[in-house]
Amino acid sequence: MNGDASFSRAATVTVADPVTDPLTGAVRDAVAPVAVSVGAPVAAAELGQSAARVEALDLARFIMALVVVGAHGRLFVDLSYPLYFFTFVGGWARIIIPLFLMMSGFFFAVQIRRGVGAWAKRLVLLHLVWSAVYIGCWMPLGSFSFAKAGFWIFFGAGHLWFMPALIGGGLMLARLRGLPAGWLLALAGALYLTGGVVQYALDVLVDFETVKHHNALYALPRNFLFYGFPFMALGYLMQEEAVRDWLGRVSRWPVVLGLVALLMLENWVKYVGFAHDAVFEVAVMNFALAPVIFAWLLRLKGVRAAPWMAPMSAAIYFVHALVLLVLEQVAGLTPSLLTLVAVVICLPVGWVLVKANNRPLPLV
């Protein structure tokens, strides 16, 4: 890779064509500010990509948001614990957040056209809005303290950990994107591998039955430094046509099947080698497999996705935990049925959030 001249510079994006608002479908001048929701893809014209390629990311994002509901609703656990584990706890679904972060990195240059400060300000406000919504769920009034609140806001409580990882990872990427692509890739890989080492060290050394607050341990490998930045950097590098072409050449079926087999082996080691309440946030093999899947999505032809899918995926991601919490309190349903009901409820609630977005606060 380092021998290719195309890898000697950081990825760039040229914006020249009119763009389409992802919510309304209205065409507007590309030099005008573009309001992009969390990870919501902008128009294909902004990256010189075909519309089908961007729509493939939209569709993938929507499907992955629904899978996240399944993960947090503990889908399958009442049917088969191994199926549940190898799907969600230490399974293939762990690649979803890396792909979300890669999508944000892929569109990063467009998202910060008005400046990194404006981009970060909106995401910080969005994070604070949803932290305020969930604060009573993860820190009851009787146990409130400013130290706890500060910790959870900085690292993100529950599913909101994605936001600090995204914001911090984006700020790092803004500072480091001028590095040669090879150096950026090496740094991202080294940091993610370090996060993996931290996680597996915790899994070996910590008796999790004695740990009262697991989220404090999750924050060690699952943060902007070891998780957010590495995958955002990978997505940013995927803007380079040479990177995508190289991945296309090496991603033959034997290579892909080999990566999948190694990921399955890593997950099997988690299943048989560690307590199942250990930290399983990092799958080391995802650093190799996620770019292959991402490149495949970009190569898909003829994919069509409705313009509402991108913002809806963000809405589902933010609201689904609240829906699950309410259902768990009022409905005596099995986890799998609970998940299906939650998906049905999240869709109209998410639609309302999309329509109410930025009136006056950002919601997605």
Side-chain angles (χ1 to χ4, degrees):
M1 291 176 60
N2 291 335
D4 193 323
S6 299
F7 287 81
S8 64
R9 64 186 186 280
T12 59
V13 175
T14 300
V15 180
D17 298 323
V19 298
T20 305
D21 187 293
L23 292 179
T24 66
V27 177
R28 57 192 175 189
D29 193 330
V31 300
V34 178
V36 183
S37 61
V38 176
V42 294
E46 295 187 289
L47 291 171
Q49 303 287 323
S50 69
R53 286 179 175 174
V54 172
E55 290 186 39
L57 296 184
D58 283 5
L59 180 60
R61 189 190 311 276
F62 180 70
I63 293 172
M64 291 190 299
L66 297 180
V67 175
V68 168
V69 182
H72 294 156
R74 303 176 73 233
L75 180 66
F76 304 141
V77 71
D78 52 312
L79 305 176
S80 168
Y81 180 78
L83 176 61
Y84 166 67
F85 184 94
F86 285 107
T87 302
F88 298 115
V89 179
W92 62 265
R94 289 288 183 187
I95 206 166
I96 286 176
I97 299 302
L99 288 173
F100 273 137
L101 289 166
M102 285 191 67
M103 291 177 188
S104 295
F106 187 66
F107 294 102
F108 187 66
V110 175
Q111 291 176 336
I112 62 170
R113 284 189 308 170
R114 291 185 293 168
V116 176
W119 172 84
K121 180 180 178 181
R122 184 185 187 280
L123 291 186
V124 168
L125 182 57
L126 183 62
H127 178 48
L128 292 177
V129 167
W130 284 103
S131 294
V133 170
Y134 282 100
I135 190 169
C137 301
W138 42 262
M139 192 169 58
L141 187 60
S143 63
F144 177 85
S145 74
F146 287 105
K148 287 182 181 179
F151 178 88
W152 293 129
I153 290 173
F154 184 81
F155 287 105
H159 68 299
L160 295 182
W161 74 268
F162 177 81
M163 292 301 293
L166 175 65
I167 296 166
L171 292 176
M172 279 190 66
L173 181 59
R175 294 289 295 177
L176 299 173
R177 59 187 170 139
L179 289 175
W183 283 98
L184 192 61
L185 176 62
L187 178 60
L191 287 173
Y192 188 66
L193 181 60
T194 300
V197 171
V198 169
Q199 170 184 280
Y200 288 120
L202 289 172
D203 292 341
V204 170
L205 299 175
V206 175
D207 180 3
F208 287 92
E209 291 185 358
T210 65
V211 177
K212 184 177 181 181
H213 301 293
H214 284 195
N215 271 331
L217 296 180
Y218 295 154
L220 294 177
R222 187 186 70 180
N223 52 55
F224 74 92
L225 182 63
F226 297 143
Y227 208 111
F229 168 75
F231 286 108
M232 288 194 71
L234 283 182
Y236 187 75
L237 291 172
M238 291 292 290
Q239 295 173 71
E240 284 278 7
E241 186 176 358
V243 175
R244 300 194 299 271
D245 289 345
W246 181 82
L247 277 172
R249 292 195 302 270
V250 302
S251 299
R252 304 303 181 188
W253 279 113
V255 174
V256 175
L257 292 176
L259 292 175
V260 171
L262 289 173
L263 177 63
M264 293 175 64
L265 176 61
E266 182 179 359
N267 292 335
W268 179 80
V269 170
K270 292 177 181 177
Y271 186 77
V272 301
F274 301 105
H276 289 185
D277 57 353
V279 180
F280 294 140
E281 301 300 315
V282 174
V284 174
M285 288 309 304
N286 279 345
F287 194 79
L289 190 57
V292 172
I293 295 175
F294 195 88
W296 172 74
L297 288 171
L298 292 177
R299 292 195 302 269
L300 284 179
K301 305 291 186 182
V303 176
R304 292 293 178 264
W308 53 262
M309 285 186 172
M312 178 67 84
S313 65
I316 291 172
Y317 188 87
F318 282 122
V319 80
H320 79 277
L322 188 61
V323 172
L324 287 169
L325 285 170
V326 172
L327 286 176
E328 288 171 356
Q329 296 299 317
V330 302
L333 302 175
T334 63
S336 295
L337 184 56
L338 183 82
T339 298
L340 296 178
V341 173
V343 168
V344 172
I345 294 175
C346 282
L347 292 174
V349 174
W351 183 257
V352 172
L353 291 175
V354 170
K355 290 298 184 181
N357 189 36
N358 293 323
R359 300 178 185 176
L361 295 173
L363 299 175
V364 297

